[in-house]
Amino acid sequence: MHQFSQRDFDQATLILRVSLGIYFVVAGLAQLVNYIGLVDGVSGFGIVTSSFGGGIVATIFPWIELILGLLLILGLTTSIAAALIALASFLLAVVNGFTSGASLSKEILFIAVALALMLMGGGAYSLDGKVRGVGKKVGVHPK
């Protein structure tokens, strides 16, 4: 049986970070391009109306997605960015589930991957790993 090495851990972290990060960068850019449709969509959730904050949320949310996605791709403040992505995905899952009955499989997957990255950190192939030294070690548990 193959033993899970530090290199395997770091490569898995890299794949998860970059995959989720690319999705959020693309989603943020797509929403920035389609700003008017996003305002209508945010208002349609029933949490904020376009006259009361819908435009603000529609303006800020794509930038948040874009920045968090870039942070994940670079592996900079990975645990914090992943925690924020998990929170945003959870909120979207709650809103989508209650207002439209939409499938939540994508949001659940994002939450799971983001929580895993929050616990794993950026790994050795990240700016976190370069700044703070190599990331979390496989099999090392503080007492």
Side-chain angles (χ1 to χ4, degrees), residues 76-139:
L76 186 61
T77 65
T78 303
S79 293
I80 295 169
L84 292 173
I85 284 176
L87 176 64
S89 296
F90 174 76
L91 293 174
L92 287 174
V94 168
V95 169
N96 280 335
F98 288 128
T99 60
S100 66
S103 171
L104 301 178
S105 57
K106 182 175 60 173
E107 284 80 10
I108 291 169
L109 180 63
F110 291 162
I111 292 167
V113 171
L115 289 175
L117 285 170
M118 182 184 75
L119 296 172
M120 294 166 57
Y125 307 121
S126 68
L127 290 178
D128 285 342
K130 302 298 179 211
V131 171
R132 297 187 185 116
V134 178
K136 297 186 179 168
K137 302 285 186 192
V138 174

CSV table of all heavy atoms in Angstrom, one decimal, residues 76-139:
chain,number,residue,atom,x,y,z
A,76,LEU,N,-1.9,32.5,-0.8
A,76,LEU,CA,-1.6,33.5,0.1
A,76,LEU,C,-2.8,33.7,1.1
A,76,LEU,O,-3.9,33.8,0.6
A,76,LEU,CB,-1.4,34.9,-0.6
A,76,LEU,CG,-0.9,36.0,0.2
A,76,LEU,CD1,0.4,35.7,0.9
A,76,LEU,CD2,-0.8,37.3,-0.7
A,77,THR,N,-2.5,33.6,2.3
A,77,THR,CA,-3.6,33.5,3.4
A,77,THR,C,-4.6,32.5,3.0
A,77,THR,O,-5.8,32.7,3.1
A,77,THR,CB,-4.2,34.9,3.6
A,77,THR,OG1,-4.9,35.3,2.5
A,77,THR,CG2,-3.2,36.0,4.0
A,78,THR,N,-4.1,31.3,2.7
A,78,THR,CA,-5.0,30.2,2.2
A,78,THR,C,-6.1,29.9,3.2
A,78,THR,O,-7.3,29.7,2.8
A,78,THR,CB,-4.2,29.0,1.9
A,78,THR,OG1,-3.2,29.4,0.9
A,78,THR,CG2,-5.0,27.9,1.3
A,79,SER,N,-5.8,29.7,4.4
A,79,SER,CA,-6.8,29.3,5.4
A,79,SER,C,-7.9,30.3,5.6
A,79,SER,O,-9.0,29.9,5.7
A,79,SER,CB,-6.1,29.0,6.8
A,79,SER,OG,-5.3,27.9,6.7
A,80,ILE,N,-7.5,31.6,5.6
A,80,ILE,CA,-8.5,32.6,5.7
A,80,ILE,C,-9.4,32.7,4.5
A,80,ILE,O,-10.6,32.8,4.6
A,80,ILE,CB,-7.8,34.0,6.0
A,80,ILE,CG1,-7.1,33.9,7.4
A,80,ILE,CG2,-8.8,35.1,6.0
A,80,ILE,CD1,-6.2,35.1,7.7
A,81,ALA,N,-8.7,32.7,3.3
A,81,ALA,CA,-9.5,32.8,2.1
A,81,ALA,C,-10.4,31.6,1.9
A,81,ALA,O,-11.6,31.7,1.5
A,81,ALA,CB,-8.5,32.8,0.9
A,82,ALA,N,-10.0,30.4,2.3
A,82,ALA,CA,-10.8,29.2,2.2
A,82,ALA,C,-12.0,29.3,3.2
A,82,ALA,O,-13.1,28.9,2.9
A,82,ALA,CB,-10.0,28.0,2.5
A,83,ALA,N,-11.7,29.8,4.4
A,83,ALA,CA,-12.8,29.9,5.4
A,83,ALA,C,-13.9,30.9,4.8
A,83,ALA,O,-15.1,30.7,5.0
A,83,ALA,CB,-12.3,30.4,6.7
A,84,LEU,N,-13.5,32.0,4.2
A,84,LEU,CA,-14.4,33.0,3.7
A,84,LEU,C,-15.2,32.4,2.5
A,84,LEU,O,-16.4,32.6,2.3
A,84,LEU,CB,-13.7,34.2,3.3
A,84,LEU,CG,-13.1,35.1,4.4
A,84,LEU,CD1,-12.3,36.2,3.9
A,84,LEU,CD2,-14.2,35.6,5.3
A,85,ILE,N,-14.5,31.6,1.7
A,85,ILE,CA,-15.2,30.9,0.6
A,85,ILE,C,-16.2,29.9,1.1
A,85,ILE,O,-17.3,29.8,0.6
A,85,ILE,CB,-14.2,30.2,-0.4
A,85,ILE,CG1,-13.5,31.3,-1.2
A,85,ILE,CG2,-14.9,29.2,-1.3
A,85,ILE,CD1,-12.4,30.8,-2.1
A,86,ALA,N,-15.9,29.2,2.1
A,86,ALA,CA,-16.8,28.2,2.8
A,86,ALA,C,-18.0,29.0,3.3
A,86,ALA,O,-19.2,28.5,3.1
A,86,ALA,CB,-16.1,27.4,3.9
A,87,LEU,N,-17.8,30.1,3.9
A,87,LEU,CA,-18.9,30.9,4.5
A,87,LEU,C,-19.8,31.4,3.4
A,87,LEU,O,-21.0,31.3,3.4
A,87,LEU,CB,-18.4,32.0,5.3
A,87,LEU,CG,-19.4,33.0,5.9
A,87,LEU,CD1,-20.3,32.3,6.9
A,87,LEU,CD2,-18.7,34.2,6.6
A,88,ALA,N,-19.2,32.0,2.3
A,88,ALA,CA,-20.0,32.5,1.2
A,88,ALA,C,-20.7,31.4,0.5
A,88,ALA,O,-21.9,31.6,0.2
A,88,ALA,CB,-19.0,33.2,0.2
A,89,SER,N,-20.1,30.3,0.3
A,89,SER,CA,-20.8,29.2,-0.3
A,89,SER,C,-22.0,28.7,0.5
A,89,SER,O,-23.0,28.3,0.0
A,89,SER,CB,-19.8,28.0,-0.6
A,89,SER,OG,-18.8,28.4,-1.5
A,90,PHE,N,-21.8,28.6,1.8
A,90,PHE,CA,-22.9,28.2,2.7
A,90,PHE,C,-24.0,29.2,2.7
A,90,PHE,O,-25.2,28.8,2.6
A,90,PHE,CB,-22.3,28.1,4.2
A,90,PHE,CG,-23.4,27.9,5.2
A,90,PHE,CD1,-24.0,26.6,5.3
A,90,PHE,CD2,-23.9,28.9,6.0
A,90,PHE,CE1,-25.0,26.3,6.2
A,90,PHE,CE2,-24.9,28.6,6.9
A,90,PHE,CZ,-25.5,27.4,7.0
A,91,LEU,N,-23.7,30.5,2.7
A,91,LEU,CA,-24.8,31.5,2.6
A,91,LEU,C,-25.5,31.4,1.3
A,91,LEU,O,-26.8,31.5,1.2
A,91,LEU,CB,-24.2,32.9,2.8
A,91,LEU,CG,-23.7,33.2,4.2
A,91,LEU,CD1,-23.0,34.6,4.2
A,91,LEU,CD2,-24.8,33.1,5.2
A,92,LEU,N,-24.8,31.2,0.2
A,92,LEU,CA,-25.5,31.0,-1.1
A,92,LEU,C,-26.3,29.8,-1.2
A,92,LEU,O,-27.4,29.7,-1.8
A,92,LEU,CB,-24.4,31.0,-2.2
A,92,LEU,CG,-23.8,32.4,-2.6
A,92,LEU,CD1,-22.7,32.3,-3.6
A,92,LEU,CD2,-24.9,33.4,-3.0
A,93,ALA,N,-25.8,28.7,-0.5
A,93,ALA,CA,-26.6,27.5,-0.5
A,93,ALA,C,-27.9,27.6,0.3
A,93,ALA,O,-28.9,27.2,-0.2
A,93,ALA,CB,-25.7,26.4,0.1
A,94,VAL,N,-27.8,28.4,1.4
A,94,VAL,CA,-29.0,28.6,2.2
A,94,VAL,C,-30.0,29.4,1.4
A,94,VAL,O,-31.2,29.1,1.3
A,94,VAL,CB,-28.6,29.3,3.5
A,94,VAL,CG1,-29.9,29.8,4.2
A,94,VAL,CG2,-27.9,28.3,4.4
A,95,VAL,N,-29.5,30.5,0.8
A,95,VAL,CA,-30.4,31.4,0.0
A,95,VAL,C,-30.9,30.7,-1.2
A,95,VAL,O,-32.1,30.7,-1.5
A,95,VAL,CB,-29.6,32.7,-0.4
A,95,VAL,CG1,-30.4,33.5,-1.5
A,95,VAL,CG2,-29.3,33.5,0.8
A,96,ASN,N,-30.1,30.0,-2.0
A,96,ASN,CA,-30.6,29.3,-3.2
A,96,ASN,C,-31.6,28.1,-2.8
A,96,ASN,O,-32.5,27.9,-3.5
A,96,ASN,CB,-29.4,28.7,-4.0
A,96,ASN,CG,-28.8,29.7,-4.8
A,96,ASN,OD1,-29.4,30.7,-5.2
A,96,ASN,ND2,-27.5,29.5,-5.1
A,97,GLY,N,-31.3,27.5,-1.7
A,97,GLY,CA,-32.1,26.4,-1.3
A,97,GLY,C,-33.5,26.8,-0.9
A,97,GLY,O,-34.5,26.2,-1.1
A,98,PHE,N,-33.6,28.0,-0.2
A,98,PHE,CA,-34.8,28.4,0.3
A,98,PHE,C,-35.6,29.2,-0.7
A,98,PHE,O,-36.9,29.2,-0.7
A,98,PHE,CB,-34.6,29.3,1.6
A,98,PHE,CG,-34.3,28.5,2.8
A,98,PHE,CD1,-33.1,28.9,3.5
A,98,PHE,CD2,-35.0,27.4,3.2
A,98,PHE,CE1,-32.8,28.1,4.7
A,98,PHE,CE2,-34.6,26.7,4.3
A,98,PHE,CZ,-33.5,27.0,5.0
A,99,THR,N,-35.0,29.9,-1.6
A,99,THR,CA,-35.7,30.8,-2.5
A,99,THR,C,-36.1,30.1,-3.8
A,99,THR,O,-37.1,30.3,-4.4
A,99,THR,CB,-34.9,32.1,-2.8
A,99,THR,OG1,-33.7,31.7,-3.4
A,99,THR,CG2,-34.7,32.9,-1.6
A,100,SER,N,-35.2,29.2,-4.3
A,100,SER,CA,-35.5,28.6,-5.6
A,100,SER,C,-35.5,27.1,-5.6
A,100,SER,O,-35.9,26.5,-6.6
A,100,SER,CB,-34.5,29.1,-6.6
A,100,SER,OG,-33.2,28.6,-6.3
A,101,GLY,N,-35.1,26.5,-4.5
A,101,GLY,CA,-35.1,25.1,-4.5
A,101,GLY,C,-34.1,24.5,-5.4
A,101,GLY,O,-34.2,23.3,-5.8
A,102,ALA,N,-33.0,25.3,-5.7
A,102,ALA,CA,-32.0,24.8,-6.6
A,102,ALA,C,-31.2,23.7,-6.0
A,102,ALA,O,-31.1,23.5,-4.8
A,102,ALA,CB,-31.1,26.0,-7.0
A,103,SER,N,-30.5,23.0,-6.9
A,103,SER,CA,-29.6,21.9,-6.5
A,103,SER,C,-28.4,22.5,-5.7
A,103,SER,O,-27.8,23.5,-6.2
A,103,SER,CB,-29.1,21.1,-7.7
A,103,SER,OG,-28.0,20.3,-7.3
A,104,LEU,N,-28.1,22.0,-4.6
A,104,LEU,CA,-27.0,22.5,-3.8
A,104,LEU,C,-25.7,21.7,-3.9
A,104,LEU,O,-24.8,22.0,-3.1
A,104,LEU,CB,-27.5,22.5,-2.3
A,104,LEU,CG,-28.7,23.3,-2.0
A,104,LEU,CD1,-29.1,23.2,-0.6
A,104,LEU,CD2,-28.6,24.8,-2.4
A,105,SER,N,-25.6,20.8,-4.8
A,105,SER,CA,-24.5,19.9,-4.9
A,105,SER,C,-23.2,20.7,-5.1
A,105,SER,O,-22.1,20.4,-4.5
A,105,SER,CB,-24.6,18.9,-6.0
A,105,SER,OG,-24.9,19.5,-7.2
A,106,LYS,N,-23.2,21.8,-6.0
A,106,LYS,CA,-22.0,22.6,-6.2
A,106,LYS,C,-21.6,23.3,-5.0
A,106,LYS,O,-20.4,23.3,-4.6
A,106,LYS,CB,-22.3,23.5,-7.4
A,106,LYS,CG,-21.1,24.4,-7.8
A,106,LYS,CD,-21.4,25.3,-9.0
A,106,LYS,CE,-22.6,26.2,-8.7
A,106,LYS,NZ,-22.8,27.2,-9.7
A,107,GLU,N,-22.5,23.9,-4.3
A,107,GLU,CA,-22.2,24.7,-3.1
A,107,GLU,C,-21.6,23.7,-2.0
A,107,GLU,O,-20.7,24.1,-1.3
A,107,GLU,CB,-23.4,25.5,-2.6
A,107,GLU,CG,-23.7,26.7,-3.3
A,107,GLU,CD,-24.4,26.5,-4.6
A,107,GLU,OE1,-24.9,25.3,-4.8
A,107,GLU,OE2,-24.6,27.4,-5.4
A,108,ILE,N,-22.2,22.6,-1.9
A,108,ILE,CA,-21.7,21.6,-0.8
A,108,ILE,C,-20.3,21.2,-1.2
A,108,ILE,O,-19.5,21.1,-0.3
A,108,ILE,CB,-22.7,20.4,-0.8
A,108,ILE,CG1,-24.0,20.8,-0.1
A,108,ILE,CG2,-22.1,19.3,0.1
A,108,ILE,CD1,-25.1,19.8,-0.2
A,109,LEU,N,-20.0,21.0,-2.4
A,109,LEU,CA,-18.7,20.6,-2.9
A,109,LEU,C,-17.7,21.7,-2.5
A,109,LEU,O,-16.6,21.5,-2.0
A,109,LEU,CB,-18.6,20.3,-4.3
A,109,LEU,CG,-17.2,19.9,-4.9
A,109,LEU,CD1,-16.7,18.6,-4.3
A,109,LEU,CD2,-17.3,19.7,-6.4
A,110,PHE,N,-18.1,23.0,-2.8
A,110,PHE,CA,-17.2,24.1,-2.5
A,110,PHE,C,-17.0,24.2,-1.0
A,110,PHE,O,-15.8,24.5,-0.6
A,110,PHE,CB,-17.9,25.4,-3.0
A,110,PHE,CG,-17.9,25.6,-4.5
A,110,PHE,CD1,-18.8,26.5,-5.1
A,110,PHE,CD2,-17.1,24.8,-5.3
A,110,PHE,CE1,-18.8,26.7,-6.5
A,110,PHE,CE2,-17.2,25.0,-6.7
A,110,PHE,CZ,-18.0,25.9,-7.3
A,111,ILE,N,-18.0,24.0,-0.2
A,111,ILE,CA,-17.8,24.1,1.2
A,111,ILE,C,-16.8,23.0,1.7
A,111,ILE,O,-16.0,23.3,2.5
A,111,ILE,CB,-19.2,23.9,1.9
A,111,ILE,CG1,-20.1,25.2,1.6
A,111,ILE,CG2,-19.0,23.8,3.4
A,111,ILE,CD1,-21.5,25.0,2.0
A,112,ALA,N,-17.0,21.8,1.2
A,112,ALA,CA,-16.1,20.7,1.6
A,112,ALA,C,-14.7,21.0,1.2
A,112,ALA,O,-13.7,20.8,2.0
A,112,ALA,CB,-16.6,19.4,1.0
A,113,VAL,N,-14.4,21.4,0.0
A,113,VAL,CA,-13.1,21.7,-0.5
A,113,VAL,C,-12.5,22.9,0.3
A,113,VAL,O,-11.3,22.8,0.7
A,113,VAL,CB,-13.0,21.9,-2.0
A,113,VAL,CG1,-11.7,22.4,-2.4
A,113,VAL,CG2,-13.4,20.7,-2.8
A,114,ALA,N,-13.3,23.9,0.5
A,114,ALA,CA,-12.8,25.1,1.2
A,114,ALA,C,-12.5,24.8,2.7
A,114,ALA,O,-11.4,25.2,3.2
A,114,ALA,CB,-13.8,26.2,1.1
A,115,LEU,N,-13.3,24.0,3.3
A,115,LEU,CA,-13.0,23.6,4.7
A,115,LEU,C,-11.7,22.7,4.8
A,115,LEU,O,-10.9,22.9,5.7
A,115,LEU,CB,-14.2,22.9,5.3
A,115,LEU,CG,-15.4,23.7,5.6
A,115,LEU,CD1,-16.6,22.9,6.1
A,115,LEU,CD2,-15.1,24.8,6.6
A,116,ALA,N,-11.6,21.8,3.8
A,116,ALA,CA,-10.3,21.0,3.8
A,116,ALA,C,-9.1,21.9,3.6
A,116,ALA,O,-8.1,21.8,4.3
A,116,ALA,CB,-10.4,20.0,2.6
A,117,LEU,N,-9.2,22.9,2.7
A,117,LEU,CA,-8.1,23.8,2.5
A,117,LEU,C,-7.8,24.7,3.7
A,117,LEU,O,-6.7,25.0,4.0
A,117,LEU,CB,-8.3,24.7,1.3
A,117,LEU,CG,-8.1,24.0,-0.1
A,117,LEU,CD1,-8.6,24.9,-1.2
A,117,LEU,CD2,-6.6,23.7,-0.3
A,118,MET,N,-8.9,25.1,4.4
A,118,MET,CA,-8.8,25.9,5.6
A,118,MET,C,-7.9,25.1,6.7
A,118,MET,O,-7.1,25.6,7.3
A,118,MET,CB,-10.1,26.2,6.2
A,118,MET,CG,-10.1,27.0,7.5
A,118,MET,SD,-11.7,27.3,8.2
A,118,MET,CE,-12.0,25.7,8.9
A,119,LEU,N,-8.2,23.8,6.8
A,119,LEU,CA,-7.4,22.9,7.7
A,119,LEU,C,-6.0,22.6,7.2
A,119,LEU,O,-5.1,22.5,8.0
A,119,LEU,CB,-8.2,21.7,8.0
A,119,LEU,CG,-9.6,21.8,8.7
A,119,LEU,CD1,-10.3,20.5,8.7
A,119,LEU,CD2,-9.4,22.4,10.0
A,120,MET,N,-5.9,22.4,5.9
A,120,MET,CA,-4.6,22.0,5.3
A,120,MET,C,-3.6,23.1,5.2
A,120,MET,O,-2.4,22.9,5.2
A,120,MET,CB,-4.8,21.3,4.0
A,120,MET,CG,-5.6,20.0,4.1
A,120,MET,SD,-6.2,19.4,2.5
A,120,MET,CE,-4.8,19.2,1.6
A,121,GLY,N,-4.1,24.3,4.9
A,121,GLY,CA,-3.2,25.5,4.6
A,121,GLY,C,-2.8,25.4,3.2
A,121,GLY,O,-3.3,24.7,2.4
A,122,GLY,N,-1.9,26.3,2.8
A,122,GLY,CA,-1.5,26.4,1.4
A,122,GLY,C,-0.5,25.3,0.9
A,122,GLY,O,-0.4,25.1,-0.3
A,123,GLY,N,0.2,24.7,1.8
A,123,GLY,CA,1.1,23.7,1.4
A,123,GLY,C,2.5,24.3,0.9
A,123,GLY,O,2.6,25.5,0.9
A,124,ALA,N,3.4,23.4,0.5
A,124,ALA,CA,4.7,23.9,0.2
A,124,ALA,C,4.8,24.7,-1.1
A,124,ALA,O,5.6,25.6,-1.3
A,124,ALA,CB,5.7,22.7,0.1
A,125,TYR,N,3.8,24.4,-2.0
A,125,TYR,CA,3.8,25.1,-3.3
A,125,TYR,C,2.9,26.3,-3.3
A,125,TYR,O,2.0,26.4,-4.1
A,125,TYR,CB,3.3,24.1,-4.4
A,125,TYR,CG,4.1,22.8,-4.5
A,125,TYR,CD1,3.5,21.6,-4.3
A,125,TYR,CD2,5.5,22.8,-4.7
A,125,TYR,CE1,4.2,20.4,-4.3
A,125,TYR,CE2,6.2,21.7,-4.7
A,125,TYR,CZ,5.6,20.5,-4.5
A,125,TYR,OH,6.3,19.3,-4.6
A,126,SER,N,3.1,27.1,-2.3
A,126,SER,CA,2.2,28.3,-2.1
A,126,SER,C,3.1,29.5,-1.6
A,126,SER,O,4.2,29.3,-1.1
A,126,SER,CB,1.1,28.0,-1.1
A,126,SER,OG,1.6,27.9,0.2
A,127,LEU,N,2.5,30.7,-1.7
A,127,LEU,CA,3.2,31.8,-1.1
A,127,LEU,C,3.3,31.7,0.4
A,127,LEU,O,4.2,32.1,1.1
A,127,LEU,CB,2.6,33.1,-1.5
A,127,LEU,CG,2.8,33.5,-3.0
A,127,LEU,CD1,2.1,34.8,-3.3
A,127,LEU,CD2,4.3,33.6,-3.3
A,128,ASP,N,2.2,31.1,1.0
A,128,ASP,CA,2.2,30.8,2.4
A,128,ASP,C,3.4,30.0,2.8
A,128,ASP,O,4.1,30.2,3.8
A,128,ASP,CB,0.9,30.1,2.9
A,128,ASP,CG,-0.3,31.0,2.9
A,128,ASP,OD1,-0.1,32.2,3.0
A,128,ASP,OD2,-1.4,30.5,3.0
A,129,GLY,N,3.6,28.9,2.0
A,129,GLY,CA,4.7,28.0,2.2
A,129,GLY,C,6.1,28.7,2.1
A,129,GLY,O,7.0,28.4,2.8
A,130,LYS,N,6.2,29.6,1.2
A,130,LYS,CA,7.4,30.3,1.0
A,130,LYS,C,7.7,31.4,2.1
A,130,LYS,O,8.8,31.5,2.5
A,130,LYS,CB,7.5,31.0,-0.4
A,130,LYS,CG,7.2,30.1,-1.6
A,130,LYS,CD,8.3,29.1,-1.7
A,130,LYS,CE,8.1,28.2,-2.9
A,130,LYS,NZ,8.6,26.9,-2.7
A,131,VAL,N,6.6,32.0,2.5
A,131,VAL,CA,6.8,33.1,3.5
A,131,VAL,C,7.0,32.5,4.9
A,131,VAL,O,7.9,32.9,5.6
A,131,VAL,CB,5.5,34.0,3.5
A,131,VAL,CG1,5.6,34.9,4.7
A,131,VAL,CG2,5.4,34.8,2.2
A,132,ARG,N,6.2,31.5,5.2
A,132,ARG,CA,6.3,30.9,6.6
A,132,ARG,C,7.1,29.6,6.7
A,132,ARG,O,7.1,28.9,7.7
A,132,ARG,CB,4.9,30.6,7.0
A,132,ARG,CG,4.0,31.8,7.2
A,132,ARG,CD,2.7,31.5,7.8
A,132,ARG,NE,1.9,32.7,7.8
A,132,ARG,CZ,0.7,32.8,7.1
A,132,ARG,NH1,0.3,31.8,6.4
A,132,ARG,NH2,0.1,33.9,7.1
A,133,GLY,N,7.8,29.3,5.6
A,133,GLY,CA,8.4,28.0,5.5
A,133,GLY,C,7.4,26.9,5.0
A,133,GLY,O,6.3,27.3,4.7
A,134,VAL,N,7.8,25.7,5.0
A,134,VAL,CA,6.9,24.7,4.4
A,134,VAL,C,5.7,24.6,5.3
A,134,VAL,O,5.7,24.8,6.5
A,134,VAL,CB,7.7,23.3,4.4
A,134,VAL,CG1,6.8,22.2,3.9
A,134,VAL,CG2,8.9,23.4,3.5
A,135,GLY,N,4.5,24.3,4.6
A,135,GLY,CA,3.2,24.3,5.3
A,135,GLY,C,3.1,23.2,6.3
A,135,GLY,O,4.1,22.7,6.8
A,136,LYS,N,1.9,22.8,6.6
A,136,LYS,CA,1.6,21.8,7.6
A,136,LYS,C,2.2,20.5,7.2
A,136,LYS,O,2.2,20.1,6.0
A,136,LYS,CB,0.1,21.7,7.7
A,136,LYS,CG,-0.5,23.0,8.3
A,136,LYS,CD,-1.9,22.8,8.6
A,136,LYS,CE,-2.4,24.2,9.1
A,136,LYS,NZ,-3.8,24.3,9.2
A,137,LYS,N,2.7,19.8,8.1
A,137,LYS,CA,3.4,18.5,7.9
A,137,LYS,C,2.4,17.3,8.1
A,137,LYS,O,1.6,17.3,9.0
A,137,LYS,CB,4.6,18.3,8.9
A,137,LYS,CG,5.6,19.4,8.9
A,137,LYS,CD,6.4,19.2,7.7
A,137,LYS,CE,7.6,20.3,7.7
A,137,LYS,NZ,8.3,20.4,6.5
A,138,VAL,N,2.6,16.4,7.2
A,138,VAL,CA,1.8,15.2,7.3
A,138,VAL,C,2.2,14.3,8.5
A,138,VAL,O,3.4,14.1,8.6
A,138,VAL,CB,1.9,14.3,6.0
A,138,VAL,CG1,1.1,13.0,6.1
A,138,VAL,CG2,1.3,15.1,4.8
A,139,GLY,N,1.3,13.9,9.3
A,139,GLY,CA,1.6,13.0,10.4
A,139,GLY,C,2.2,13.7,11.6
A,139,GLY,O,2.6,13.1,12.6
